[in-house]
Amino acid sequence: MRINVNKNVNKIGKFLALIFFSAVLFGMNFAMIANAASTDTYKVSAWMPSWDIEEATDSFESNADVIDTLSPFWYHVNTDGTLTTVMNGEDMNIIRFAQSNNVEIIPTISNSFDWKVVHEFLNDSEEKKKNIARIVDKVNFFNYDGIDIDYEGLLSSDKDAFTSYIRDLSAELKKHNKKLTIAIQAKTYDKIAIYGDFGQDWKAIHPYVDEFRIMTYDYGWRGSVPRPIAPYYWVEDVIEYALDNVPKEKIFLGVPFYGGGWSDGYFYNYTYDTIKLILDRYGVDFQYDPTQKTNKLYYVSNQDSRDVPVPHEVWFENSVSLEPKLDLVKKYDLGGIAIWRLGKEDTRNWKEIRKILKGEPLTETLYFRDVNQNTANFEAITRLAELGIVRGQDKSDWFKPYDKVNRAEILKMTLNSFARDTSNYMFEDIIAEAQAALEASNAEIDESATGDVE
């Protein structure tokens, strides 16, 4: 964030008071920021997409030291029970790298969220046996550590057939000392007949799987109103329901590394790299929602295919929103996490994973060249930087912690500290309010910051 500081009206004391106010607003305990290392460790599984393969591979190789299991999306199942290897699948370089770094490799088989793909062979005992034999042969041929089943959107009427399939597949894999993991659609109560949630019987399935990977994301999706991808309260509700049905050591909490955007009937999936491009291109800042414990931003696109520029509301995940989810894993002593997905994520996510789940003693990230552990209020400044409330002067990596602060900067940080509900896209009202307040303060705002006030 850069707002001119020509009219200094506050000294650093008031700035520190604002920091304290922001801390109260978010309900933070800065004494806990250091997050003392735990002696407990939890397992980390990660899905690797077959697209964005270079970025996904870089992410895997850079963080293999904390990844216990890699599940690349390498196979699609067909209606006749055969398997199709996707583009970039069965990559021997990835297999060898995983094995040489003691990372289990358990590829994923997907039905592309289409119940019709699996309905026939799930209900045909002979075709089911053939499908299972093909899977076991594939696992043994490449010496995988197991297989991951991601069959979503199942019919409620196929519930028992799916349970039987998982039971039989597990039995065959166990003969070869191989594992079975499964991607599970999140829910908070027993019967949700739509979108396949009831097609997966949690109590019946868990005895046969090694990792029960619950996809606690896509709460906000293309069919919903604009809302968080993985709001904290919902994630915790899913965990509590899971604990009534599944042993805690088998529960792997799905954690998203991405975001979603809504705009006048359109929906977009965003990687964190795309989020950063939006922040830079449109000169906006994101806001942290302290209730949902996640992030959102608003911008009006001038790069859209539609004739009239329209506002976008984006909810997304980064290291700040990941931290409370990892804390839930420790609170409920779960088995670990399952990451969707590797590649183009917030690289600071890995710092949180190492610190919270693996118990590595880490120093805080240095966001600014002139702010270090010896700087007064280092922890507060670092936390506000993580939340996107403060940025370097002139979009640089200099913070100038002992400079005076003007009213416009205080207003900007205050606005960024509040998360507003703008599901109806009330951007004009919000911008008008902010502009009126800025004019009243007689502050000079440079051009790059004008569009930065939501």
Side-chain angles (χ1 to χ4, degrees):
M1 176 190 72
R2 168 58 177 162
I3 298 181
N4 292 337
V5 292
N6 295 332
K7 295 186 178 181
N8 297 314
V9 296
N10 276 327
K11 295 184 181 295
I12 189 64
K14 289 189 177 181
F15 179 48
L16 296 180
L18 175 66
I19 290 177
F20 176 77
F21 162 75
S22 299
V24 173
L25 172 66
F26 288 108
M28 299 173 191
N29 182 355
F30 285 121
M32 298 177 63
I33 290 180
N35 202 354
S38 169
T39 57
D40 297 328
T41 59
Y42 300 84
K43 290 187 176 181
V44 175
S45 297
W47 281 295
M48 172 184 280
S50 56
W51 57 100
D52 290 338
I53 191 63
E54 292 184 8
E55 294 85 354
T57 301
D58 287 345
S59 177
F60 169 52
E61 293 179 350
S62 298
N63 300 288
D65 60 310
V66 292
I67 296 175
D68 298 286
T69 304
L70 179 73
S71 289
F73 262 66
W74 280 353
Y75 302 104
H76 286 299
V77 67
N78 303 311
T79 54
D80 60 359
T82 58
L83 302 177
T84 297
T85 304
V86 304
M87 183 182 298
N88 301 314
E90 298 179 349
D91 187 325
M92 291 306 302
N93 291 325
I94 292 176
I95 294 172
R96 283 191 289 266
F97 183 87
Q99 293 172 341
S100 64
N101 285 273
N102 297 314
V103 177
E104 292 181 329
I105 187 157
I106 300 181
T108 297
I109 303 174
S110 169
N111 73 331
S112 300
F113 205 89
D114 186 354
W115 65 267
K116 294 186 292 295
V117 172
V118 298
H119 174 71
E120 294 297 332
F121 72 79
L122 285 181
N123 290 280
D124 186 316
S125 59
E126 290 303 314
E127 293 303 316
K128 180 178 68 173
K129 288 180 182 178
K130 292 178 183 178
N131 169 265
I132 291 174
R134 294 185 185 103
I135 293 173
V136 173
D137 287 346
K138 186 74 72 174
V139 169
N140 286 331
F141 181 82
F142 286 100
N143 195 28
Y144 297 144
D145 294 282
I147 205 71
D148 177 56
I149 296 297
D150 181 21
Y151 296 170
E152 302 179 46
L154 302 178
L155 294 177
S156 298
S157 57
D158 283 341
K159 177 185 66 174
D160 293 338
F162 182 63
T163 298
S164 174
Y165 174 77
I166 293 298
R167 180 195 64 211
D168 295 349
L169 175 57
S170 175
E172 292 302 310
L173 288 169
K174 293 297 185 288
K175 291 178 181 179
H176 303 275
N177 198 30
K178 303 295 184 180
K179 293 183 175 181
L180 176 60
T181 67
I182 184 171
I184 295 291
Q185 290 178 245
K187 60 182 177 181
T188 57
Y189 52 93
D190 289 334
K191 294 185 179 181
I192 307 177
I194 60 173
Y195 307 125
D197 305 69
F198 191 46
Q200 298 174 326
D201 187 335
W202 292 20
K203 282 187 177 179
I205 291 171
H206 80 72
Y208 310 112
V209 302
D210 296 282
E211 293 183 13
F212 198 85
R213 301 174 174 180
I214 305 176
M215 296 178 286
T216 37
Y217 41 77
D218 283 348
Y219 181 80
W221 60 294
R222 70 176 62 253
S224 74
V225 298
R227 63 188 189 184
I229 300 298
Y232 181 86
Y233 74 89
W234 174 73
V235 172
E236 187 165 28
D237 284 348
V238 174
I239 292 173
E240 291 176 348
Y241 171 79
L243 289 170
D244 289 335
N245 294 275
V246 182
K248 64 180 182 179
E249 65 273 10
K250 286 191 175 185
I251 298 173
F252 279 62
L253 187 70
V255 293
F257 279 10
Y258 65 96
W262 291 260
S263 175
D264 193 28
Y266 289 75
F267 177 82
Y268 307 85
N269 284 308
Y270 293 116
T271 65
Y272 189 72
D273 277 3
T274 302
I275 297 295
K276 290 190 295 184
L277 288 174
I278 291 171
L279 295 174
D280 183 63
R281 173 179 293 176
Y282 296 102
V284 298
D285 282 340
F286 69 83
Q287 298 172 329
Y288 179 79
D289 185 323
T291 301
Q292 314 282 11
K293 297 189 179 181
T294 188
N295 315 286
K296 60 181 175 180
L297 64 87
Y298 315 102
Y299 72 100
V300 177
S301 172
N302 58 11
Q303 305 289 327
D304 202 280
S305 60
R306 287 164 282 185
D307 294 333
V308 179
V310 292
H312 294 246
E313 180 172 342
V314 181
W315 291 85
F316 67 96
E317 301 289 319
N318 64 0
S319 61
V320 178
S321 58
L322 175 63
E323 180 182 347
K325 295 178 179 63
L326 299 183
D327 287 338
L328 285 174
V329 173
K330 296 187 68 174
K331 175 182 177 180
Y332 291 99
D333 196 25
L334 307 181
I337 61 172
I339 297 166
W340 179 258
R341 62 175 176 89
L342 295 180
K344 299 182 177 180
E345 72 271 15
D346 181 0
T347 56
R348 293 170 298 180
N349 289 349
W350 299 103
K351 179 198 75 170
E352 299 300 330
I353 291 171
R354 285 179 168 85
K355 181 175 63 175
I356 298 174
L357 296 189
K358 295 300 185 179
E360 296 185 13
L362 300 175
T363 58
E364 291 295 330
T365 300
L366 301 180
Y367 285 86
F368 308 107
R369 294 172 62 182
D370 52 353
V371 176
N372 57 43
Q373 284 87 347
N374 296 320
T375 304
N377 298 285
F378 163 74
E379 292 180 345
I381 294 171
T382 297
R383 187 58 167 170
L384 292 175
E386 286 181 340
L387 294 171
I389 295 173
V390 297
R391 296 193 180 187
Q393 297 285 356
D394 294 316
K395 296 185 178 179
S396 72
D397 53 2
W398 291 90
F399 184 72
K400 302 180 181 179
Y402 301 107
D403 273 11
K404 296 179 180 179
V405 181
N406 66 34
R407 286 173 290 182
E409 288 178 321
I410 292 176
L411 175 61
K412 177 64 184 302
M413 288 184 286
T414 303
L415 289 173
N416 280 350
S417 298
F418 286 94
R420 289 173 175 256
D421 179 7
T422 58
S423 299
N424 293 322
Y425 303 118
M426 298 175 62
F427 292 90
E428 293 181 359
D429 292 341
I430 295 172
I431 293 173
E433 290 176 17
Q435 289 177 337
L438 289 174
E439 290 174 2
S441 71
N442 295 319
E444 295 179 5
I445 305 174
D446 61 43
E447 184 177 355
S448 64
T450 301
D452 208 358
V453 181
E454 292 86 19

